[in-house]
Amino acid sequence: MTTNCSTEPPSLVIKPRVRGFICVTAHPHGCQENVHNQIDYVKEKGPIADSPKNVLVIGASTGYGLASRIVAAFGCGAKTVGVFFEKPSDGGKTASAGWYNSVAFEKAAKTEGLCAININGDAFSDEIKQQTVEAIKTELGKVDLVVYSLASPRRIHPVTKAVHNSVLKPIGQTFCAKTLDTDKEVVKQITIEPASQEDITETAAVMGGEDWEMWIDALEKAGVLAEGVKTVAYSYIGPEVTWPIYKDGTIGVAKLDVEKAADRINQKLAGSGTAYVSINQAVVTQASSAIPVVPLYISLLFRILREKNILEGCIEQIYRLFAERLYAGTSVPVDEAGRIRIDDLEMKPEVQAAVKELWSQVRTENLKEISDFEVYKKEFVKLFGFGLPGVDYEKPVNPACL
Ligand code: NAD
């Protein structure tokens, strides 16, 4: 990916413009700083032994996918191919955060002599799968790890060309619960009507396991999966307060399908590789901030995890996933359902009991006192490169240039 620093800079002082669960601006230098901070964390933790050397990350520009790419490159010394769907700067507008992140990652990797290939386009399409296969053949040969970390509200099916839209709804019953209006900073009641059968099918078509399976099929057919390849897709379970809208809702059905896809992939690979689902901790990302109830839950959870000194973000989670699960030098530890659990700290009984207690108490008046909503807000704008120490936010910058 290239940035255009030669054009007459439409120099902008870039400020966050938050609209609900999205920020419509992003700061190039802040995003770069974010990537560098994650790289520094991984370097400080040290190299991971017996780790992969050629890694494909699908959904590599933000959140868990970006952290996976950073751990692969800077913790394992791996060559990486990152696939994502991001917007470059256009007409003086800022690029999307994931676009800046990917440019910053590529630069940092290349500075250390690490091959990094960015593929920006629709991962659900056959074209992008083919482009990725070609890039692997030319630059990497074969891959020994495939991370599947897509989060998308929409998918154009590559065969039928149907457009599928996912919805976040409960199944079988109306859901009434506390939620947080993050703009107005108000704790209020939310009511969501149950999903129709079509809603359930649509959501599974977007966030289910079919696309992961299609990726593995395409890579296998092209002969670019190394013997012993590992592939991992990310999922979430969380506590009971979120179950009606998450685990037992439309997204939960889709995530169950991801687990079934892991079984199907394992059968197809027939011992020449292994597919895993990793259950990760709730963290602040563009995807999680769009789920009702979750920002309030995260604000309370972070308070408890921080007090217990066990608060982790994407990079800490993924470093542990690689070092203590996928490449721990033993067989990969899994739960009774065969899933990797890196949500162990979040799901500690004492953490959940404390969050449950706060959940029953929380209201608008005591939100800031008993929760980490202030931390949530900081983490949210940080996703878009704002609020990072060391970045001069008053200085005009060219949004097309990094
Ligand atoms: P995110 O929004 O930060 O990242 C999504 C990634 O998908 C980005 O790189 C984006 O560019 C890419 N993407 C979206 N649509 C695409 C398309 N059509 N083509 C190519 N790339 C596309 O999301 P995240 O929160 O890091 O989620 C990643 C995975 O982790 C998801 O499966 C999610 O369910 C899981 N997970 C998230 C949490 C959480 O709290 N955020 C917790 C557990 C598991």
Side-chain angles (χ1 to χ4, degrees), residues 59 61-62 64 85-86 121-123 149 151 234-235 255 281 283 285:
S61 54
T62 54
Y64 274 125
F85 210 1
E86 300 293 348
D122 183 5
S149 187
Y234 298 145
S235 187
K255 289 297 191 184
Q281 184 200 284
V283 289
T285 67

Side-chain angles (χ1 to χ4, degrees), residues 165-187:
N165 290 293
S166 68
V167 290
L168 293 159
K169 287 189 182 176
I171 295 175
Q173 54 186 344
T174 303
F175 174 54
C176 296
K178 282 179 186 174
T179 195
L180 178 57
D181 182 325
T182 47
D183 277 352
K184 297 193 179 121
E185 310 198 345
V186 167
V187 177

